[in-house]
Amino acid sequence: MTAAINTDKEYQNRLKHFTSLKSKYQATKYNDSSPSSLLYLILRKVDLGIELTELEFNWLREQKLFETVEIICQQQQYKLEELRKLENEFSHLKSQYQVPKFSGAFKNISIILYPILWKLHSCNSLTNSEIEWLKNNGLGSTAALAHKMELEKHFSALKTKYQATKYEGSSINSPLYKILNKLEIKQKISAPELEWLIKRELFETAKIFKQQESEKEAQFAQLRDKYQANKHLDLSLSSPLYPILQNIDTKNNLSDSEINWLEQQELSETIAIAQELEQTREFAALRLKYKATEYQDSSPKSHLYKILKRLELSNQLGEQDINFLTKRKLTEIIEIANEKYASILKSKIDSEELLNESEIEWLKNNRREDIIIFAKQKHFAALKLKYDILEYQDKLCTSILYTILQKFELKERLQPTEFAWLQVTKIEVPQPTYSYSKWQEPQCQGTKLFSGKILITYHTIEANFYEQEFQRTENKWNLANASSHWRKADEPEHALQLTNNLELDKIKENKLKSALLTSRGGAFRDIDKLDKAENCARQAIEYQPKSHHPYTLMGAICFERHQYSDGEYWFQEAIKRGANPRDMDSEIKRVVKNAKDESKRRQVINYLLNKDPQRYAWAKSYIKNSKNTISVKK
């Protein structure tokens, strides 16, 4: 029903419109008043300025609507004439304002260009965007002309303002334009310029200049009095004092050079006033910043000013400052200061800096555990990066690993439980795998945490501990332990230095002698001095034939020399005396891994795989890509 009402209303509106158009174009004698009539369509087109076709004109003549045809023809003729006039005007404006002839590709810019040229012709100023449009569309000459017209208009306005209209020239290159611009900014004109005005009988303009100078002289006198600078003898407007006093009066801070000049002139009172005004402005800004505008005392001598100044410099409030603010109920300043300091500490953490004890204590006292936790997490991440264990997934600062790494940084020894945890914990390292046709999902491989930098740091700390214990107690078992740890920390030279002067004849315990010699022999082996290593091992065996350690060392030395049968013999002797066979494999693996000559490495691997391909399958991973292959006897 609503749709029907709307349709009926629309029909009535069209009917009313059709009646109006028939009256306007003298077509009332046409009987059909229905909006569906062809006449309604024709008259609507005419009213919208759309040209009629010859068929439509013929239809009107057939309906004997000759008056309507005549009105439409007159209207279209008028439109054509107006369009011609508009084109002529536009052509004249383009010529007048130095618009080049455009090719067909540029004709579309006329839509924007015509209103701009009309504004110029009407002496209206162009906007910055219109000037830019002209430049961007290759109309630089038009833009330059517009700028010149603007300057000329400005020149004309200045001539009126400074009573120089009798001067007929309008060129902006005229000396008068420069003079009037100086008057506009109240800048002093030179004696030749003043003479130029007088010669051209521009007395009123000259009078305005003199009046300006008198006003400036009066202002200078007032400023000297106001800022206690009357002792300065130079009263001319060219004196450096005048712009300095103007600066003070306009609430601008003085530069160092201005202050230096005032000091040279011994105008200490002026400096004091300027500095007090500067401090007053700064205090007002600080009160606004720290929400203390209700505080009544606005003098820079106020204690609050000193507090806010310190706060700007140190970013932290002292205990006395907090008491002062609390008594005056200025707690919002404390809150802002605390938040500001907390933000600074967080930025410090973000830049990988460590917080000191006082900063951590402040965070604890102000219950900012969130930042403390954030600092620990960032520190933990930095330590994991330092020790090459980023793959360790736990990021929580409660992790036992974080405790261990902190101890490493402080060069502290680990607890037995911490060391045990290190030995059994592994990290999952993604290992990329490939197939012939596509990338496969990376497989994770467990790697011991107690390796690399972790292992070296641990043994370095232990070695230093046992060295200090030896110095304290002179117990040579500490020397043996220190030597062993230096070797594991990849510092065999340090181990040899410790065991240089053993004086074995003064040591009663054969077990200790054997331990020291075995450790020293191992250090010689580490630096490829195998003959010296063998001598130490054989002496150790003489002192303690039942210990498996020197036999293991002899086996390793033989493998280093590629004397595999001899090496097997010594390893078997070590096993008879309690050595773990897995330790033998570790020694052999070390020989393979550390071989400096590729051919010698291949020789060891060849021997191992021929002997027991299954037991020594790990050796294949040390074979480098080469055309040569390992031959395994069947």
Side-chain angles (χ1 to χ4, degrees), residues 22 26-32 63-68:
K22 281 166 66 177
Q26 297 187 21
T28 51
K29 61 183 173 182
Y30 185 73
N31 292 326
D32 188 356
Q63 308 306 316
K64 298 181 180 181
L65 295 171
F66 302 113
E67 291 178 349
T68 305

Side-chain angles (χ1 to χ4, degrees), residues 239-251:
S239 167
L241 180 62
Y242 183 38
I244 290 175
L245 296 181
Q246 284 180 308
N247 258 345
I248 297 172
D249 206 50
T250 52
K251 299 180 180 179

